[in-house]
Amino acid sequence: MIRRKVVLHFPREKVDKPIVSKLVRDYGLDFNILKASITPREEGLLVMEITGEEKDYQRGLEYLENCGVRVQPLSQDVARNEDRCTHCGACLAVCPTRALYMDSESMQVIFDREECVACELCVKVCPPRAMEIRY
Amino acid sequence: MGKTIQEINERIKSGKAVVVTAEEIIDLVREKGVEKVARRVDVITTGTFGPMCSSGALINLGHPKPRMKIHRAWLNDVPAYCGIAAVDLYLGATEMAEHDPLNEVFPGEFRYGGGHVIEDLVAGKKVRLRAESYGTDCYPLRKWEAEITIHDLPDARLFNPRNAYQNYNVAVNLSDRVLYTYMGVLRPNLGNANYCSAGQLSPLLNDPLFRTIGVGTRIFLGGGIGYVVDRGTQHNPDVPRTKSGHPKRPSGTLAVMGDLKGMSPRYLVGYSMLGYGATLAVGIGVPIPVLDEEVVEAAAVSDSDLYAPVVDYSVDYPQGTGRVLGEVSYAQLRSGEVEILGKRVPTASLSSYSRAREIACLLKEWIQSGRFLLTEPVELLPCPVRERGGGK
């Protein structure tokens, strides 16, 4: 059993076709949509967590890519500009998954990308604007 | 016993001074006792790094040809105050770029303001100057546009009327809607508690009665050298204190000044507070000369001995009711969770403790290497408790 977060980029012409639902029906995968911005006649973006067997996951991804969907691991979604982060900790107030937490020794804010669900709440809350959305 | 600042400076010059940070002194006193530490240690270094809105840059542009009496001016579209001599300007940290939507779409992002211009200047980046005048016989030029860098400026000083607050509120939200404040985002129903002090490392919490810090004290300011030029605005030493004399409310403040040209963008960072405004995060480090045992005792307090008031920012703060919900220690705040009105509330800081530590360590190095000498304050800051002769 594996659990991965991915970002799916849908080309404009595929936005109005049912694609993702087949992951459940034909590939036995579960998914949880974390974020979606799909508007008709534009490129769509879907952030989701996929759960299932490794081989089904690989086949599912292949299917998506054959449909013209670009798949990207979520770790590239929210990134921290290390030069701008001052390690104040203001982001801790809004991070829902504790992907951002304070290391009690170094008193520096740790960003655990594995825990990040790309809710983007930290992006505008960060005073030096060190948290960036990267697609 | 007792040491003078002159004696301490002699030891610094000969490379023999013993310097410790305000963090290191805590364990040192626990191990060896106040008396021994007061004899051995010469200087205690402190540090803080956080948003300090009452900050700005005093700039002299130098005259263009022909000369100009500037009536209005903008740096990267951020208006500067021009109501002083011809080519002098004051650029405030919280001034927003013209045409910024502010809070029109709430909460506004406040992406670029005076604090960001100051950061860009210090980083050596090009800044766009736009100036207007009505023209006079002696100053005929009416319009001036140029790209400038800090190197082109005859004078660029950081002049901050209120910095380094001695203690500060812990902000919480008792209402049922999200609040966007200068203390960060406050989630409803005590969703989080935000604080803003370096606690045991903070300059003024290590000299609670201002026995050593005064007008003329040389300090680490924004990565360069600065001076305490006066008490800061809202300096209010008349507040409840712990037995050790440490204020339990926001209390003393410092007005500081220094040459912007020697400073660094690592310690002057433009901040954007969602739904509130732009500001500047300032790094300050103040050296405390170990004149006697009392100085050591006051500096040896740890986060568990320092208390901050918890204030509701939905009603009490904006309406100025003065109500305090309770007091929590900085040790509790730094643990990540505090108890307020019977509820466990996660904490977040706006002041960077790691960068405060970095500043205290850097100042320690400067003093140890003989690059930084202490100054004798020409006047101490007002403090009724000290003036009455009461140490504690």
Side-chain angles (χ1 to χ4, degrees):
Chain A
M1 224 32 170
I2 55 149
R3 177 182 297 208
R4 299 241 169 94
K5 289 177 203 127
V6 290
V7 185
L8 308 184
H9 298 262
F10 292 78
R12 195 165 46 173
E13 64 277 11
K14 299 283 181 187
V15 164
D16 53 356
K17 300 207 166 56
I19 292 175
V20 177
S21 59
K22 280 200 176 173
L23 290 178
V24 182
R25 215 174 53 209
D26 300 351
Y27 298 92
L29 295 166
D30 269 340
F31 63 84
N32 181 19
I33 295 175
L34 304 169
K35 189 186 156 125
S37 67
I38 300 177
T39 42
R41 287 184 293 278
E42 279 174 40
E43 201 203 48
L45 184 117
L46 197 62
V47 183
M48 59 185 207
E49 186 175 65
I50 302 177
T51 316
E53 296 299 330
E54 173 79 46
K55 67 172 179 9
D56 293 333
Y57 174 79
Q58 293 304 340
R59 283 176 56 232
L61 246 53
E62 230 168 86
Y63 152 74
L64 288 172
E65 272 160 9
N66 286 337
C67 292
V69 176
R70 189 157 59 85
V71 183
Q72 200 181 35
L74 178 62
S75 54
Q76 285 176 27
D77 198 16
V78 172
R80 182 164 69 178
N81 180 338
E82 300 296 337
D83 290 337
R84 281 211 71 75
C85 175
T86 61
H87 296 277
C88 64
C91 51
L92 272 59
V94 294
C95 181
T97 63
R98 304 237 162 174
L100 289 156
Y101 66 93
M102 188 66 79
D103 176 68
S104 59
E105 275 297 303
S106 67
M107 290 305 284
Q108 298 215 331
V109 178
I110 311 290
F111 178 37
D112 182 352
R113 287 178 160 202
E114 290 295 305
E115 293 300 316
C116 177
V117 292
C119 69
E120 296 171 15
L121 284 174
C122 56
V123 174
K124 288 179 184 172
V125 162
C126 170
R129 299 290 153 90
M131 303 307 289
E132 296 167 354
I133 307 162
R134 293 184 195 163
Y135 295 116
Chain B
M1 69 149 286
K3 272 180 251 176
T4 65
I5 289 174
Q6 278 168 333
E7 284 164 357
I8 293 171
N9 276 339
E10 286 311 315
R11 290 172 61 79
I12 295 173
K13 281 184 211 161
S14 62
K16 285 187 200 144
V18 178
V19 189
V20 300
T21 70
E23 221 177 7
E24 292 163 341
I25 192 116
I26 298 166
D27 286 337
L28 208 60
V29 166
R30 266 184 210 143
E31 271 169 46
K32 310 212 185 249
V34 171
E35 199 190 331
K36 238 185 196 162
V37 171
R39 243 182 297 135
R40 288 274 302 280
V41 174
D42 298 303
V43 187
I44 301 159
T45 60
T46 63
T48 187
F49 181 89
M52 305 192 196
C53 288
S54 205
S55 298
L58 203 50
I59 291 170
N60 177 278
L61 293 168
H63 271 285
K65 274 185 188 167
R67 291 177 191 268
M68 184 176 192
K69 176 187 189 296
I70 295 176
H71 178 52
R72 294 189 203 289
W74 297 260
L75 290 166
N76 280 352
D77 290 328
V78 178
Y81 180 76
C82 304
I84 40 179
V87 287
D88 280 345
L89 311 170
Y90 186 76
L91 177 69
T94 69
E95 188 67 57
M96 287 311 300
E98 218 172 35
H99 311 302
D100 187 283
L102 307 175
N103 258 341
E104 263 167 49
V105 180
F106 190 77
E109 289 194 49
F110 300 92
R111 296 167 81 105
Y112 197 86
H116 298 87
V117 180
I118 293 170
E119 182 190 334
D120 282 346
L121 275 172
V122 172
K125 290 187 186 165
K126 279 186 187 162
V127 169
R128 208 170 52 259
L129 164 75
R130 197 152 52 86
E132 291 172 4
S133 173
Y134 46 83
T136 72
D137 288 340
C138 43
Y139 295 118
L141 193 66
R142 287 171 184 250
K143 242 185 182 155
W144 184 17
E145 284 189 31
E147 271 196 335
I148 56 160
T149 71
I150 194 166
H151 312 295
D152 304 323
L153 301 171
D155 290 288
R157 298 264 190 292
L158 192 69
F159 171 49
N160 304 348
R162 180 173 70 251
N163 275 183
Y165 236 120
Q166 190 180 33
N167 211 344
Y168 209 76
N169 293 342
V170 177
V172 296
N173 175 6
L174 294 181
S175 79
D176 56 7
R177 68 179 183 96
V178 180
L179 299 178
Y180 298 91
T181 75
Y182 69 89
M183 289 294 287
V185 174
L186 302 175
R187 292 180 7 239
N189 308 311
L190 287 169
N192 57 301
N194 284 11
Y195 64 103
C196 190
S197 171
Q200 62 193 12
L201 262 176
S202 169
L204 293 185
L205 283 175
N206 280 289
D207 184 10
L209 305 178
F210 321 105
R211 292 185 67 242
T212 70
I213 301 171
V215 178
T217 298
R218 184 179 289 136
I219 60 171
F220 172 109
L221 179 60
I225 302 288
Y227 295 87
V228 174
V229 292
D230 206 344
R231 76 186 91 164
T233 51
Q234 292 180 25
H235 175 84
N236 175 24
D238 230 349
V239 296
R241 288 172 188 269
T242 61
K243 267 192 236 159
S244 58
H246 292 81
K248 296 196 282 180
R249 300 286 180 274
S251 180
T253 66
L254 299 178
V256 300
M257 196 163 185
D259 194 344
L260 206 56
K261 290 189 183 187
M263 297 187 193
S264 145
R266 182 165 179 85
Y267 304 104
L268 290 176
V269 181
Y271 268 18
S272 302
M273 306 305 296
L274 186 62
Y276 176 76
T279 184
L280 182 69
V282 181
I284 292 183
V286 179
I288 297 177
V290 178
L291 302 176
D292 53 31
E293 290 176 16
E294 243 179 275
V295 169
V296 172
E297 238 172 311
V301 296
S302 71
D303 279 340
S304 51
D305 309 311
L306 297 167
Y307 290 86
V310 180
V311 175
D312 164 49
Y313 273 61
S314 69
V315 175
D316 293 327
Y317 184 84
Q319 300 304 325
T321 68
R323 183 167 75 135
V324 168
L325 301 175
E327 285 165 0
V328 289
S329 77
Y330 280 97
Q332 289 168 312
L333 287 165
R334 240 174 270 295
S335 77
E337 205 177 65
V338 288
E339 200 179 298
I340 299 166
L341 304 175
K343 191 182 169 187
R344 296 171 81 83
V345 183
T347 61
S349 174
L350 291 174
S351 171
S352 170
Y353 193 84
S354 64
R355 203 149 288 184
R357 185 186 272 162
E358 188 179 299
I359 289 167
C361 290
L362 206 54
L363 182 56
K364 174 179 160 175
E365 274 173 40
W366 286 3
I367 297 171
Q368 280 173 333
S369 66
R371 280 171 58 200
F372 186 106
L373 292 176
L374 308 192
T375 58
E376 193 102 38
V378 291
E379 196 168 310
L380 292 179
L381 304 181
C383 181
V385 186
R386 186 196 69 236
E387 284 149 15
R388 282 197 299 270
K392 297 179 180 180

PDB file of all heavy atoms in Angstrom, chain B residues 158-179:
ATOM      1  N   LEU B 158      19.566  54.791   9.364  1.00  0.00           N
ATOM      2  CA  LEU B 158      18.366  54.168   9.904  1.00  0.00           C
ATOM      3  C   LEU B 158      18.030  54.959  11.158  1.00  0.00           C
ATOM      4  O   LEU B 158      18.897  55.164  12.017  1.00  0.00           O
ATOM      5  CB  LEU B 158      18.656  52.704  10.251  1.00  0.00           C
ATOM      6  CG  LEU B 158      17.440  51.832  10.565  1.00  0.00           C
ATOM      7  CD1 LEU B 158      16.603  51.600   9.309  1.00  0.00           C
ATOM      8  CD2 LEU B 158      17.873  50.484  11.150  1.00  0.00           C
ATOM      9  N   PHE B 159      16.807  55.449  11.260  1.00  0.00           N
ATOM     10  CA  PHE B 159      16.407  56.171  12.471  1.00  0.00           C
ATOM     11  C   PHE B 159      15.052  55.650  12.911  1.00  0.00           C
ATOM     12  O   PHE B 159      14.036  55.897  12.266  1.00  0.00           O
ATOM     13  CB  PHE B 159      16.361  57.683  12.232  1.00  0.00           C
ATOM     14  CG  PHE B 159      15.752  58.422  13.403  1.00  0.00           C
ATOM     15  CD1 PHE B 159      16.181  58.162  14.695  1.00  0.00           C
ATOM     16  CD2 PHE B 159      14.752  59.360  13.205  1.00  0.00           C
ATOM     17  CE1 PHE B 159      15.603  58.818  15.777  1.00  0.00           C
ATOM     18  CE2 PHE B 159      14.172  60.021  14.285  1.00  0.00           C
ATOM     19  CZ  PHE B 159      14.594  59.741  15.574  1.00  0.00           C
ATOM     20  N   ASN B 160      15.064  54.891  13.987  1.00  0.00           N
ATOM     21  CA  ASN B 160      13.865  54.188  14.443  1.00  0.00           C
ATOM     22  C   ASN B 160      13.385  54.760  15.777  1.00  0.00           C
ATOM     23  O   ASN B 160      14.031  54.577  16.796  1.00  0.00           O
ATOM     24  CB  ASN B 160      14.163  52.692  14.586  1.00  0.00           C
ATOM     25  CG  ASN B 160      14.700  52.084  13.301  1.00  0.00           C
ATOM     26  OD1 ASN B 160      14.643  52.705  12.245  1.00  0.00           O
ATOM     27  ND2 ASN B 160      15.223  50.878  13.387  1.00  0.00           N
ATOM     28  N   PRO B 161      12.254  55.465  15.759  1.00  0.00           N
ATOM     29  CA  PRO B 161      11.782  56.122  16.988  1.00  0.00           C
ATOM     30  C   PRO B 161      11.346  55.170  18.102  1.00  0.00           C
ATOM     31  O   PRO B 161      11.326  55.546  19.252  1.00  0.00           O
ATOM     32  CB  PRO B 161      10.589  56.960  16.518  1.00  0.00           C
ATOM     33  CG  PRO B 161      10.725  57.047  15.030  1.00  0.00           C
ATOM     34  CD  PRO B 161      11.433  55.810  14.597  1.00  0.00           C
ATOM     35  N   ARG B 162      10.941  53.939  17.737  1.00  0.00           N
ATOM     36  CA  ARG B 162      10.573  52.994  18.805  1.00  0.00           C
ATOM     37  C   ARG B 162      10.917  51.577  18.395  1.00  0.00           C
ATOM     38  O   ARG B 162      10.318  51.011  17.504  1.00  0.00           O
ATOM     39  CB  ARG B 162       9.078  53.072  19.142  1.00  0.00           C
ATOM     40  CG  ARG B 162       8.702  52.086  20.252  1.00  0.00           C
ATOM     41  CD  ARG B 162       7.271  52.235  20.753  1.00  0.00           C
ATOM     42  NE  ARG B 162       6.272  51.823  19.795  1.00  0.00           N
ATOM     43  CZ  ARG B 162       5.457  52.658  19.134  1.00  0.00           C
ATOM     44  NH1 ARG B 162       5.521  53.948  19.343  1.00  0.00           N
ATOM     45  NH2 ARG B 162       4.590  52.200  18.273  1.00  0.00           N
ATOM     46  N   ASN B 163      11.915  51.010  19.050  1.00  0.00           N
ATOM     47  CA  ASN B 163      12.354  49.640  18.756  1.00  0.00           C
ATOM     48  C   ASN B 163      12.558  48.871  20.062  1.00  0.00           C
ATOM     49  O   ASN B 163      12.553  49.444  21.151  1.00  0.00           O
ATOM     50  CB  ASN B 163      13.707  49.670  18.012  1.00  0.00           C
ATOM     51  CG  ASN B 163      13.560  49.856  16.496  1.00  0.00           C
ATOM     52  OD1 ASN B 163      14.540  49.845  15.774  1.00  0.00           O
ATOM     53  ND2 ASN B 163      12.345  50.043  16.016  1.00  0.00           N
ATOM     54  N   ALA B 164      12.766  47.588  19.911  1.00  0.00           N
ATOM     55  CA  ALA B 164      13.229  46.719  21.006  1.00  0.00           C
ATOM     56  C   ALA B 164      12.337  46.753  22.238  1.00  0.00           C
ATOM     57  O   ALA B 164      12.812  46.829  23.370  1.00  0.00           O
ATOM     58  CB  ALA B 164      14.671  47.092  21.400  1.00  0.00           C
ATOM     59  N   TYR B 165      11.037  46.684  22.025  1.00  0.00           N
ATOM     60  CA  TYR B 165      10.083  46.724  23.137  1.00  0.00           C
ATOM     61  C   TYR B 165      10.482  45.752  24.238  1.00  0.00           C
ATOM     62  O   TYR B 165      10.784  44.592  23.982  1.00  0.00           O
ATOM     63  CB  TYR B 165       8.671  46.369  22.643  1.00  0.00           C
ATOM     64  CG  TYR B 165       7.643  47.428  22.957  1.00  0.00           C
ATOM     65  CD1 TYR B 165       6.925  48.073  21.963  1.00  0.00           C
ATOM     66  CD2 TYR B 165       7.396  47.791  24.281  1.00  0.00           C
ATOM     67  CE1 TYR B 165       5.990  49.058  22.256  1.00  0.00           C
ATOM     68  CE2 TYR B 165       6.462  48.771  24.584  1.00  0.00           C
ATOM     69  CZ  TYR B 165       5.760  49.398  23.576  1.00  0.00           C
ATOM     70  OH  TYR B 165       4.844  50.355  23.879  1.00  0.00           O
ATOM     71  N   GLN B 166      10.471  46.282  25.450  1.00  0.00           N
ATOM     72  CA  GLN B 166      10.768  45.454  26.612  1.00  0.00           C
ATOM     73  C   GLN B 166       9.489  44.693  26.956  1.00  0.00           C
ATOM     74  O   GLN B 166       8.585  45.266  27.552  1.00  0.00           O
ATOM     75  CB  GLN B 166      11.170  46.379  27.763  1.00  0.00           C
ATOM     76  CG  GLN B 166      11.742  45.695  28.975  1.00  0.00           C
ATOM     77  CD  GLN B 166      12.092  46.726  30.031  1.00  0.00           C
ATOM     78  OE1 GLN B 166      11.435  47.747  30.147  1.00  0.00           O
ATOM     79  NE2 GLN B 166      13.142  46.475  30.799  1.00  0.00           N
ATOM     80  N   ASN B 167       9.424  43.458  26.506  1.00  0.00           N
ATOM     81  CA  ASN B 167       8.240  42.618  26.702  1.00  0.00           C
ATOM     82  C   ASN B 167       7.115  43.037  25.751  1.00  0.00           C
ATOM     83  O   ASN B 167       7.071  44.173  25.295  1.00  0.00           O
ATOM     84  CB  ASN B 167       7.738  42.686  28.141  1.00  0.00           C
ATOM     85  CG  ASN B 167       7.093  41.371  28.559  1.00  0.00           C
ATOM     86  OD1 ASN B 167       6.764  40.524  27.736  1.00  0.00           O
ATOM     87  ND2 ASN B 167       6.914  41.199  29.854  1.00  0.00           N
ATOM     88  N   TYR B 168       6.208  42.116  25.452  1.00  0.00           N
ATOM     89  CA  TYR B 168       5.076  42.475  24.600  1.00  0.00           C
ATOM     90  C   TYR B 168       3.876  41.562  24.830  1.00  0.00           C
ATOM     91  O   TYR B 168       3.998  40.497  25.440  1.00  0.00           O
ATOM     92  CB  TYR B 168       5.473  42.492  23.104  1.00  0.00           C
ATOM     93  CG  TYR B 168       4.630  43.483  22.372  1.00  0.00           C
ATOM     94  CD1 TYR B 168       4.891  44.848  22.492  1.00  0.00           C
ATOM     95  CD2 TYR B 168       3.509  43.086  21.643  1.00  0.00           C
ATOM     96  CE1 TYR B 168       4.058  45.773  21.902  1.00  0.00           C
ATOM     97  CE2 TYR B 168       2.684  44.013  21.047  1.00  0.00           C
ATOM     98  CZ  TYR B 168       2.964  45.357  21.176  1.00  0.00           C
ATOM     99  OH  TYR B 168       2.138  46.280  20.600  1.00  0.00           O
ATOM    100  N   ASN B 169       2.737  42.003  24.334  1.00  0.00           N
ATOM    101  CA  ASN B 169       1.497  41.227  24.490  1.00  0.00           C
ATOM    102  C   ASN B 169       1.578  39.878  23.780  1.00  0.00           C
ATOM    103  O   ASN B 169       2.241  39.742  22.754  1.00  0.00           O
ATOM    104  CB  ASN B 169       0.320  41.962  23.848  1.00  0.00           C
ATOM    105  CG  ASN B 169      -0.028  43.254  24.572  1.00  0.00           C
ATOM    106  OD1 ASN B 169       0.365  43.453  25.720  1.00  0.00           O
ATOM    107  ND2 ASN B 169      -0.762  44.125  23.904  1.00  0.00           N
ATOM    108  N   VAL B 170       0.839  38.921  24.315  1.00  0.00           N
ATOM    109  CA  VAL B 170       0.540  37.681  23.600  1.00  0.00           C
ATOM    110  C   VAL B 170      -0.862  37.902  23.037  1.00  0.00           C
ATOM    111  O   VAL B 170      -1.803  38.163  23.789  1.00  0.00           O
ATOM    112  CB  VAL B 170       0.542  36.477  24.557  1.00  0.00           C
ATOM    113  CG1 VAL B 170       0.165  35.206  23.811  1.00  0.00           C
ATOM    114  CG2 VAL B 170       1.897  36.338  25.227  1.00  0.00           C
ATOM    115  N   ALA B 171      -0.984  37.844  21.715  1.00  0.00           N
ATOM    116  CA  ALA B 171      -2.263  38.178  21.081  1.00  0.00           C
ATOM    117  C   ALA B 171      -3.111  36.939  20.864  1.00  0.00           C
ATOM    118  O   ALA B 171      -2.632  35.939  20.313  1.00  0.00           O
ATOM    119  CB  ALA B 171      -2.004  38.878  19.752  1.00  0.00           C
ATOM    120  N   VAL B 172      -4.375  37.010  21.293  1.00  0.00           N
ATOM    121  CA  VAL B 172      -5.321  35.919  21.026  1.00  0.00           C
ATOM    122  C   VAL B 172      -6.627  36.514  20.510  1.00  0.00           C
ATOM    123  O   VAL B 172      -6.826  37.732  20.534  1.00  0.00           O
ATOM    124  CB  VAL B 172      -5.610  35.066  22.290  1.00  0.00           C
ATOM    125  CG1 VAL B 172      -4.373  34.364  22.776  1.00  0.00           C
ATOM    126  CG2 VAL B 172      -6.250  35.912  23.392  1.00  0.00           C
ATOM    127  N   ASN B 173      -7.507  35.636  20.048  1.00  0.00           N
ATOM    128  CA  ASN B 173      -8.764  36.063  19.440  1.00  0.00           C
ATOM    129  C   ASN B 173      -9.925  35.313  20.107  1.00  0.00           C
ATOM    130  O   ASN B 173     -10.053  34.109  19.953  1.00  0.00           O
ATOM    131  CB  ASN B 173      -8.690  35.737  17.938  1.00  0.00           C
ATOM    132  CG  ASN B 173      -9.980  36.031  17.199  1.00  0.00           C
ATOM    133  OD1 ASN B 173     -10.923  36.589  17.759  1.00  0.00           O
ATOM    134  ND2 ASN B 173     -10.005  35.655  15.936  1.00  0.00           N
ATOM    135  N   LEU B 174     -10.755  36.060  20.835  1.00  0.00           N
ATOM    136  CA  LEU B 174     -11.896  35.423  21.513  1.00  0.00           C
ATOM    137  C   LEU B 174     -13.147  35.409  20.633  1.00  0.00           C
ATOM    138  O   LEU B 174     -14.150  34.817  20.991  1.00  0.00           O
ATOM    139  CB  LEU B 174     -12.220  36.161  22.819  1.00  0.00           C
ATOM    140  CG  LEU B 174     -11.174  36.101  23.946  1.00  0.00           C
ATOM    141  CD1 LEU B 174     -11.670  36.858  25.170  1.00  0.00           C
ATOM    142  CD2 LEU B 174     -10.845  34.661  24.317  1.00  0.00           C
ATOM    143  N   SER B 175     -13.099  36.082  19.485  1.00  0.00           N
ATOM    144  CA  SER B 175     -14.288  36.161  18.633  1.00  0.00           C
ATOM    145  C   SER B 175     -14.429  34.906  17.775  1.00  0.00           C
ATOM    146  O   SER B 175     -13.606  33.995  17.851  1.00  0.00           O
ATOM    147  CB  SER B 175     -14.204  37.398  17.726  1.00  0.00           C
ATOM    148  OG  SER B 175     -13.346  37.125  16.634  1.00  0.00           O
ATOM    149  N   ASP B 176     -15.476  34.888  16.927  1.00  0.00           N
ATOM    150  CA  ASP B 176     -15.679  33.710  16.085  1.00  0.00           C
ATOM    151  C   ASP B 176     -15.292  33.958  14.628  1.00  0.00           C
ATOM    152  O   ASP B 176     -15.702  33.238  13.735  1.00  0.00           O
ATOM    153  CB  ASP B 176     -17.135  33.218  16.185  1.00  0.00           C
ATOM    154  CG  ASP B 176     -18.127  34.316  15.840  1.00  0.00           C
ATOM    155  OD1 ASP B 176     -17.679  35.405  15.393  1.00  0.00           O
ATOM    156  OD2 ASP B 176     -19.344  34.103  16.022  1.00  0.00           O
ATOM    157  N   ARG B 177     -14.526  35.036  14.376  1.00  0.00           N
ATOM    158  CA  ARG B 177     -14.028  35.231  13.010  1.00  0.00           C
ATOM    159  C   ARG B 177     -12.508  35.412  13.031  1.00  0.00           C
ATOM    160  O   ARG B 177     -11.933  35.784  14.048  1.00  0.00           O
ATOM    161  CB  ARG B 177     -14.704  36.440  12.349  1.00  0.00           C
ATOM    162  CG  ARG B 177     -14.316  37.754  12.975  1.00  0.00           C
ATOM    163  CD  ARG B 177     -14.983  38.938  12.285  1.00  0.00           C
ATOM    164  NE  ARG B 177     -14.536  40.188  12.877  1.00  0.00           N
ATOM    165  CZ  ARG B 177     -13.549  40.940  12.399  1.00  0.00           C
ATOM    166  NH1 ARG B 177     -12.904  40.577  11.321  1.00  0.00           N
ATOM    167  NH2 ARG B 177     -13.194  42.055  13.015  1.00  0.00           N
ATOM    168  N   VAL B 178     -11.860  35.131  11.894  1.00  0.00           N
ATOM    169  CA  VAL B 178     -10.413  35.252  11.808  1.00  0.00           C
ATOM    170  C   VAL B 178     -10.026  36.732  11.893  1.00  0.00           C
ATOM    171  O   VAL B 178     -10.692  37.583  11.308  1.00  0.00           O
ATOM    172  CB  VAL B 178      -9.897  34.661  10.473  1.00  0.00           C
ATOM    173  CG1 VAL B 178      -8.383  34.781  10.374  1.00  0.00           C
ATOM    174  CG2 VAL B 178     -10.320  33.219  10.323  1.00  0.00           C
ATOM    175  N   LEU B 179      -8.958  37.037  12.627  1.00  0.00           N
ATOM    176  CA  LEU B 179      -8.473  38.417  12.701  1.00  0.00           C
ATOM    177  C   LEU B 179      -7.111  38.510  12.025  1.00  0.00           C
ATOM    178  O   LEU B 179      -6.271  37.624  12.173  1.00  0.00           O
ATOM    179  CB  LEU B 179      -8.328  38.860  14.160  1.00  0.00           C
ATOM    180  CG  LEU B 179      -9.580  38.869  15.040  1.00  0.00           C
ATOM    181  CD1 LEU B 179      -9.200  39.285  16.463  1.00  0.00           C
ATOM    182  CD2 LEU B 179     -10.637  39.814  14.481  1.00  0.00           C
TER     183      LEU B 179
END
